[in-house]
Amino acid sequence: MKKSKLFIAIISIFTSANIFAYNINIPRRIVEVGFDVSAGMNNNYFAAKDMLKKDLVLDFTQMSKTLPKQGLDINFNSTENFFIDLNLLNGMRFKLSQGLEADGMITIGKDLFDFLSKGNAPNQTLNFDGNLTASLFMFVDLTYGMNIKEWRFEVSPAVYFPIMHAKSKQLSAEFRNTEDGTIGFDVITDAQIFSMINFDNSSSGLQGAAGFDLTASLERKVFNTLQAQAFLRCPIVPGNITYSKGMKSTISYQDTKFLDLVTGNANTEIAQNTEFYDITGQKYYLNRPLHSGVRVAWRPFGKWCTFRGMLGFGVREPFTESAKAYFEYELEADVLLIGIFGFSASSIYKNQIFTNSLGLQFNFRVVELDIAVGVQGSDFFKSFAGTGAVAQVALKFGF
Amino acid sequence: MKKIFNSFIAVCSLIFISCGDYQIPQSVSIKTDADYNFSVGSIEQDLSSFLNIKTISEKLNSSISEGNKNAFSSFSVYDYRPPLTDSGTQSQKFLAEVKLQEIPVDISEYLSNMDISTSLKEQSFEQQFTIPSLSVDSLSSDLELPDFNEIIQTNSQINLPSDSIIIPGALNGSIDPTTITVNIKSPEFSSISFYEGNIQVSIKTDMDPHGSEVSATLRLLDSDGNLISSASNKITNKGTFLLPIDGKTLKTNMKLELSGTQSGGILGESLSYKIECLFSAIKIKEIKGLKMDLGEQGKLSVDQNIYIGTDDTFVSCVIGEGSLFAIAKIPETWKGIYSVPDLTIEGALKKSDGSSIVESDFNKTDENLPYILNRNLNLEGCTFSKEPKAINVKGTVQIKLDDVNGADIYLEQDTTGLNKIKVDTTCSITEIQSIIIDTAKAGIQDKLSFKDEQELPPEINTYVDNVILTKAGIEGTYTNTLPQGNDFTAEFSSNFLFSSPTPKSQVFSNGENLPLNEELINTTENTIKFSESSKIDYALQIKLPGATSEHPEYAQFNNVKIGETYKIAINIKPVFDWKSITINTAASGIQLDQTIETDFNLSAMFKDISSSFGDDDFFKKIELTQMPLYLYFSCPSQLDVLKNIEYKGILKFVCGDENLYVVGEGKNGIEEDGTLNFRTSKPLEFENSSEESQIVISDISKYPNSYYGNLADMVNSTKNIQDSKLIIEYCLRISDSKNEEKDKITISKSDFEQIKADTSTSTISIFARIIIPLEMEITKQIDLNINKLANLNEDTDIFNRTEAPDLSEIMKYAQIVESMSVSYNSENKFFNYQNDSSKSLQFIFNTGMTNLTTNVYGEKGDLNLKNGTIKIVYEDIKKILEQYPFTPKMTVRLPEGNVYLPQDPSIKISCSIGLSTNGTVKLFGE
């Protein structure tokens, strides 16, 4: 009996009065101008509570046991977005936004931590490696949205400029110690930077071709309280980068007999060499990540309370040999009391980063201030332990 | 609603709960529990570098080559690896073999195998040589034409028929214009145009002008009165006017007009002025109708060297077909100019009679305008030589102008252009009649002659009475691809073989792989008495055509083609045949005394090993257990005449004061003759059936021998005697045991041929084989210093520190080290103990410190050389690091007992350090 009542209650919530039917994103102003800034940094091992204490102990044994296979990741991401938004009462929407997106990741291979924690076998050649990537995009989006009967359709063609993309071709270190007492090492850092800015003449402006991608979404209500949306951001034309430069730095110590070192007969000079080189070949083409998925917004009590969910996938550097796919999700609860004071809580996995944040909203119609802080990490559970942090500020004006 | 709110609060709480009591870190520590391993290195010593075939061979043979020149044979040393027997060991052994005496029965084979024959074979050669190409030489040079600016400026005469003017004094006003005719008298021309220049007009009077001054303007007019140029100046007692003629054209007849105003002077006194004209700083554009004798200014010198490239082997050639061209052309626009050349050619190119090539030798049919040179020279029959290096074209070209119509000359403003004309000279030689090349530079001269002689070994001169040769000389083939008429000859001479100094010769004409003449082989029966002929002599002389007494290295070849490759080759080898050989026996009173002295001294050989281990008494503490000696007396015993022969006399090995009698014996200082009986010997068997492997695999202890002895006791007893050497002394004679009165044994070839197939030897010989096994007894414990082996100075800190270290900082971190282990292992190809498993090499590590938990490791025999681990606790590590200088001593101890060195002996000790860490160490902060 109780189960029947509960079922009826749930159904009634999903099928409440028609006045509860709203789009996934409900505009708060007809005309709106504002900016939205967020920045975050995280890693996949060190939690804030481990790092921010009086006596910091790096337990290599624990690190070796706990770190995932790829090693220690350190990520950063940042978005700056300026926008003008026009939301007409008939559901038609025009939005122009312009901004920057930056992200990067440094990976230190797990072999280094294994060595520090466990040691090495006799005569073992030790190899350590790592990885580095960073990208900076500038983009201009133009969003057009409209309602067609019970459907809502939005499309956002975007022009983006891959201002800079950096990646490591090689980050490695090799330490040799053979049975005959020979020791030697090579540390190689080979990084390549692709940029639309001429390294030799930065005043010449951006050189290269902008990329073009298209975001489209289609939504409709499922129930009066539940709105569903399918979306896709798909690169159409990759941006290309004209200028490129490589930098290879090597630090090496030639194989030398240890006994010669002891007797002073060995060359103790460590050779260092850094060279810049031109990357020949074709221009570097780069797309923004592809995103696709399904998003829902559930407003069981009216538009003051929204539960959002998203499940989808992303592909970094799509349509290239370096393409990497991953799943994405968003869970968010958003409450706006009397249309003025709001708060939100969310858990998001996007661009391979878990972000759990809390936000506050102060909406005075003419002006709105949104603030959110959160924790980040590439590991879901550790992200709650403070392996990274993110902050977001948005300020909007309009009427 | 409430539930939803509560849920939201719960999620927020979960996030915040994860936050704790945060602080900025004030110290950073690392925590580890790891085992780090580090290979220190290897100490390796290859003992075979001290004891090997080469070093032993050098010791055995060094004195033979210097002190015993007559010794026929030398020691051959091999690695001796017989099959392992039950009682044997895989020890390193060497086998030394030496022939003490060898009397050839098959004398032809013997002679063919002598060194002199090898040398003779080396004179065989195949030489390909290419007739040097004579590269065509083309060159261009500039011939400077007469400088017409200079010629006109210096030779022109500007004539003024009335060369004076009168100007009245005190006129104080304008003077009447005065016109003077100007006539360029010389050189004769119709017109001259100038790029630039002046006509300098000088007006002067010898009278006192008394203050008269004329402000004058001088104008140059053509014959029709048209202005050409003008200039103004003042005239007092003189005045100079530069009339610019840039871009002007002058003709022979012109006028000068003087006008102006006069002031001063004496009224009624007129001044008479002389006028002179000349050209100044002119650059002529063109001259038309120029007639003049250019004289020396028109005589152009030619001195040009032409080089024809050849290679080093070229000396000279007579040219079959070739030519030399010389072309020089004046500009097409010039007219009325011709040349009179007078050229000679000297230097590397000469006429067939050796004289120089002169003007009349040239073909000048086409040498007409616009060419001032256009000639060629047929070089057929001319001689081109490498020295002097250049063909020198020398002489003059006289430039002359047309006397009748005059010459039209056009010059560029830049005089480096048209005033120079290009002379193109080409010389080519396409065929030659003959060529002389330098065989020395061609690398064949040293093979064209050969002369050598060689002493016969003493046993030949002593034991062999005579041999009758039925054939002696050289045979082989030759190739001569040079054209017919390029024959060369070879002369071969040998007093020993031909009993005459007269050489035998052969002419080698065109052909390939043709046999040498049989005349180079003496087929006359020839009896050689070795007592009279103790040397074998050979002389070979190959004579190529064209060699002169002055230049024996030259060779001349006729009718060869440039660039063609020809081959001359001779393959020769000695050839002998014999009829009989007669050997002296004891009855003839013949015996041979011989001493073979070696530098073989085991103590010296082990000295290098001893010093490398830091124990100079190393060899004194060991004794060789065995050093077998085998002696073989071998001969083709199937021959009836040799069936009963034996050696009699004394043969002994001497080392220091010790004697080992192999034949005969010595008692109380008196030596008595003995007899060495014949034994059939077996040849050595080598690994891979190749002597080049230098590894003997046969067990010679199982071979029949004429004598077996052991040199070990003799060598051991003299090991402390410095410079004690192994010496072989003998005094032997051959005897027929059945007929001791027989003084000669004659062996005929026909008899020998019958038994040759059944015998392995064709000589009567005595040879010895000595086995040197590296098996010894250690009579007194030996300590080998590993520090010295690793080149570590025992008095220097092993960490190479120069002062006592301050370890306070290091020890902060070192406390993380729980313990340290030094591990070592060795590849044991070092001393092995025979038949006593209880004994082994010990490894001892002595820290030299007394305050440690353990200061000497392995002293109790608990560390063997094969492998082991020395564990050092943290407290000891700390003390060791603080110890300065830290000078540990590493020793390998060899207990007493019988040991052997295995094959390819070496010692290699590898060492590694292990660090066990456990704990936390602070890197930064307090």
Side-chain angles (χ1 to χ4, degrees), chain B residues 57-182:
Chain B
S57 181
E58 284 173 357
K59 296 289 183 187
L60 288 169
N61 291 315
S62 59
S63 290
I64 291 176
S65 57
E66 293 174 10
N68 297 283
K69 296 292 184 188
N70 289 332
F72 174 74
S73 183
S74 58
F75 282 91
S76 298
V77 180
Y78 306 103
D79 199 344
Y80 183 50
R81 298 184 181 181
L84 187 63
T85 60
D86 293 341
S87 59
T89 62
Q90 286 283 22
S91 63
Q92 175 70 59
K93 302 180 182 74
F94 298 101
L95 186 155
E97 183 180 70
V98 61
K99 282 182 182 172
L100 302 175
Q101 289 195 359
E102 185 174 51
I103 306 161
V105 173
D106 187 349
I107 192 73
S108 63
E109 183 184 322
Y110 178 80
L111 293 173
S112 297
N113 290 329
M114 284 185 68
D115 286 347
I116 199 162
S117 300
T118 305
S119 303
L120 192 63
K121 284 176 187 171
E122 288 174 357
Q123 290 310 112
S124 296
F125 71 94
E126 178 178 311
Q127 186 66 40
Q128 288 193 344
F129 57 92
T130 302
I131 301 302
S133 61
L134 303 167
S135 64
V136 177
D137 189 32
S138 296
L139 62 91
S140 292
S141 62
D142 287 330
L143 195 62
E144 286 204 9
L145 289 172
D147 185 349
F148 285 97
N149 293 319
E150 177 74 14
I151 289 171
I152 296 300
Q153 190 157 304
T154 56
N155 294 307
S156 63
Q157 291 180 19
I158 304 177
N159 189 33
L160 304 173
S162 172
D163 61 354
S164 63
I165 56 172
I166 305 297
I167 299 176
L171 194 58
N172 294 325
S174 298
I175 59 172
D176 294 333
T178 305
T179 302
I180 302 165
T181 302
V182 177

Side-chain angles (χ1 to χ4, degrees), chain A residues 1-28:
Chain A
M1 187 65 186
K2 283 184 178 177
K3 285 181 180 177
S4 302
K5 286 182 178 177
L6 180 62
F7 179 74
I8 292 167
I10 290 171
I11 291 299
S12 65
I13 287 171
F14 278 97
T15 58
S16 319
N18 198 31
I19 57 170
F20 290 170
Y22 296 102
N23 293 335
I24 283 187
N25 294 306
I26 304 170
R28 290 176 179 168

Side-chain angles (χ1 to χ4, degrees), chain A residues 185-334:
Chain A
F185 64 82
D186 294 302
V187 180
I188 300 173
T189 309
D190 189 349
Q192 297 182 335
I193 298 176
F194 304 88
S195 175
M196 297 182 79
I197 299 171
N198 187 346
F199 299 112
D200 301 322
N201 181 16
S202 57
S203 61
S204 61
L206 298 181
Q207 302 289 323
F212 176 74
D213 59 27
L214 187 69
T215 305
S217 64
L218 188 64
E219 65 178 77
R220 65 163 294 170
K221 70 174 181 182
V222 180
F223 305 110
N224 284 337
T225 57
L226 184 69
Q227 194 79 3
Q229 179 194 60
F231 67 93
L232 169 67
R233 182 171 91 174
C234 181
I236 307 296
V237 178
N240 74 58
I241 303 177
T242 303
Y243 300 105
S244 58
K245 211 73 172 176
M247 186 192 81
K248 185 171 185 179
S249 178
T250 56
I251 301 172
S252 41
Y253 182 66
Q254 65 179 12
D255 289 349
T256 303
K257 299 278 188 186
F258 176 76
L259 286 176
D260 289 340
L261 277 174
V262 171
T263 55
N265 295 322
N267 177 17
T268 55
E269 186 180 348
I270 296 174
Q272 297 184 53
N273 181 47
T274 299
E275 61 179 17
F276 293 90
Y277 61 90
D278 293 323
I279 301 167
T280 56
Q282 296 187 346
K283 295 175 180 177
Y284 193 80
Y285 293 91
L286 196 64
N287 286 308
R288 290 201 298 182
L290 180 149
H291 294 291
S292 183
V294 178
R295 182 178 280 117
V296 294
W298 180 42
R299 297 185 178 89
F301 313 110
K303 68 177 181 179
W304 62 274
C305 176
T306 306
F307 296 95
R308 291 190 181 86
M310 187 278 285
L311 186 64
F313 67 93
V315 182
R316 190 188 290 271
E317 294 190 47
F319 314 124
T320 69
E321 290 181 355
S322 309
K324 185 177 181 183
Y326 43 88
F327 89 96
E328 296 179 329
Y329 80 82
E330 290 177 11
L331 291 173
E332 183 184 13
D334 186 350

Side-chain angles (χ1 to χ4, degrees), chain B residues 107-124 450-454 456 472-475 492 494 496-497 536-540 571-576:
Chain B
I107 192 73
S108 63
E109 183 184 322
Y110 178 80
L111 293 173
S112 297
N113 290 329
M114 284 185 68
D115 286 347
I116 199 162
S117 300
T118 305
S119 303
L120 192 63
K121 284 176 187 171
E122 288 174 357
Q123 290 310 112
S124 296
F450 166 68
K451 189 175 184 181
D452 197 9
E453 61 180 27
Q454 186 177 326
L456 286 161
I474 58 171
E475 64 179 10
F492 178 65
S494 171
F496 176 80
L497 296 173
I536 297 180
D537 63 320
Y538 283 85
L540 178 67
N571 292 299
I572 52 177
K573 62 177 183 180
V575 57
F576 302 96

Side-chain angles (χ1 to χ4, degrees), chain B residues 134-139 141 302-310 314 317 319 322-326 343-351 355-358 362 377-379 382-395 425-429:
Chain B
L134 303 167
S135 64
V136 177
D137 189 32
S138 296
L139 62 91
S141 62
V302 176
D303 189 356
Q304 194 172 61
N305 284 332
I306 302 169
Y307 298 92
I308 293 183
T310 64
F314 177 81
C317 70
I319 299 168
S323 58
L324 185 148
F325 288 91
L343 302 178
T344 58
I345 295 179
E346 297 173 334
L349 191 64
K350 287 188 169 57
K351 289 199 283 191
S355 61
S356 298
I357 296 161
V358 296
F362 287 98
L377 177 68
N378 185 356
L379 299 180
C382 291
T383 301
F384 171 66
S385 57
K386 193 172 182 179
E387 295 292 341
K389 291 181 177 175
I391 299 171
N392 181 237
V393 182
K394 200 170 188 179
T425 310
T426 304
C427 183
S428 68
I429 299 172

